[in-house]
Amino acid sequence: VHEVFVSHADQDHIEGILALLGENIRIHNVRVNTDSLKDSELWNDLLFEIEQKRLAGETRLRIGLTSDLDPFTFGQVVVTILGPSPYLAGRGPGSTDRDGRSINSNSSSAVLRVGTNTERGVLFTGDLDAVGLADLERCSVNLDADVLVYPHHGGRAACNDTAFAQRLAGLAKAKHVLFSIERGGRNPGNPRPEVVAAIRQALPNARIACTQLSSHCAAATPASDPTHLLPVFSRGRTARSCCAGSMVLELSIQTVAPTRVDHLTFITTHARTALCVV
């Protein structure tokens, strides 16, 4: 593995990296922004493991994942770091921005676009919040994308989640909006209904999909195994808690699987109070 980009230090965004390190998979570079407020055991474990790999000459920890980095190219794939700005990352969690707003770990969450040189690509937003979005707007960052992976699993990202969702959706102008969620997990209310409603208003023609079946959309999980899921790992498959499950996007973003038709058939049958459709 040439590069691993760590959006920020929250547990659900870093625990997979420890698994990679534990499998003795060679990672050349781990890129991250510093976070002096994050003192979780998992974050400390990750930094310790990376340091052991560094001392063994295997892995380098690169501090500074900001918008002034040159794009990373891997064959046809181009990864562009859109945020945070060096200013916001330099201020860091526990500080304030130039308008006096508090900066936390989510504020400086890295925002990346992955695609090709000729495509709008996929916008990965981590746990971006209102302060981070305001920083992107201040820097006039182009957030155009075919696919928007919505921040914070569709949870609280601002004092006014409706306004935040409409602003972000309007800037991305995405054809697909994806929510990575866990049914009945740490945040069982995600995605928040007002967030989905705001996106539907801002992007009426966009496809909206969740990895798992939100409790807002169905009180119970299906009694039989769904047939629309892809033959790839999908967390929650055995519990029948998937909705779209794991999704596969072609580089050209011409297709997103499972298809809209197959997914909609499942929703119509098993998600009678679905947020994503009228």
Side-chain angles (χ1 to χ4, degrees), residues 57-183:
E58 298 179 12
T59 301
R60 302 183 70 174
L61 180 62
R62 306 284 193 173
I63 302 298
L65 187 59
T66 60
S67 57
D68 62 337
L69 291 174
D70 292 333
F72 297 83
T73 302
F74 309 97
Q76 299 180 58
V77 179
V78 180
V79 179
T80 306
I81 313 302
L82 303 177
S85 67
Y87 167 80
L88 190 66
R91 293 289 293 169
S95 182
T96 57
D97 67 5
R98 62 182 63 199
D99 294 317
R101 294 171 293 200
S102 296
I103 300 172
N104 58 36
S105 298
N106 293 340
S107 308
S108 53
S109 178
V111 176
L112 291 72
R113 180 165 47 224
V114 179
T116 68
N117 283 320
T118 59
E119 301 294 335
R120 298 165 72 224
V122 183
L123 188 65
F124 292 94
T125 56
D127 277 347
L128 179 72
D129 68 4
V131 174
L133 181 58
D135 186 61
L136 291 167
E137 291 177 303
R138 177 183 66 82
C139 298
S140 300
V141 176
N142 181 355
L143 297 179
D144 279 5
D146 289 306
V147 180
L148 166 63
V149 181
Y150 196 86
H152 213 49
H153 317 284
R156 296 304 302 265
C159 293
N160 187 328
D161 289 310
T162 296
F164 175 88
Q166 289 179 334
R167 283 167 56 203
L168 178 57
L171 290 167
K173 300 183 284 291
K175 302 174 185 175
H176 307 267
V177 180
L178 310 183
F179 292 95
S180 176
I181 67 169
E182 180 182 7
R183 181 183 176 93

Side-chain angles (χ1 to χ4, degrees), residues 222 224-229 237 240-243 266 270:
S224 58
D225 293 335
T227 59
H228 70 290
L229 299 178
R237 186 194 295 264
R240 303 190 182 107
S241 61
C242 294
C243 192
F266 170 83
H270 299 290

Side-chain angles (χ1 to χ4, degrees), residues 174-245:
K175 302 174 185 175
H176 307 267
V177 180
L178 310 183
F179 292 95
S180 176
I181 67 169
E182 180 182 7
R183 181 183 176 93
R186 286 183 290 252
N187 298 287
N190 292 341
R192 297 177 68 84
E194 63 269 29
V195 169
V196 179
I199 291 173
R200 286 177 52 193
Q201 182 177 358
L203 300 172
N205 296 319
R207 175 189 179 184
I208 298 175
C210 296
T211 54
Q212 292 197 17
L213 187 59
S214 169
S215 57
H216 292 298
C217 301
T221 56
S224 58
D225 293 335
T227 59
H228 70 290
L229 299 178
L230 301 179
V232 296
F233 173 78
S234 291
R235 185 177 180 183
R237 186 194 295 264
T238 58
R240 303 190 182 107
S241 61
C242 294
C243 192

Side-chain angles (χ1 to χ4, degrees), residues 43-61:
W43 178 240
N44 293 334
D45 284 346
L46 177 60
L47 294 178
F48 177 82
E49 291 298 329
I50 294 175
E51 177 67 0
Q52 302 315 299
K53 298 287 186 181
R54 184 188 71 83
L55 293 174
E58 298 179 12
T59 301
R60 302 183 70 174
L61 180 62

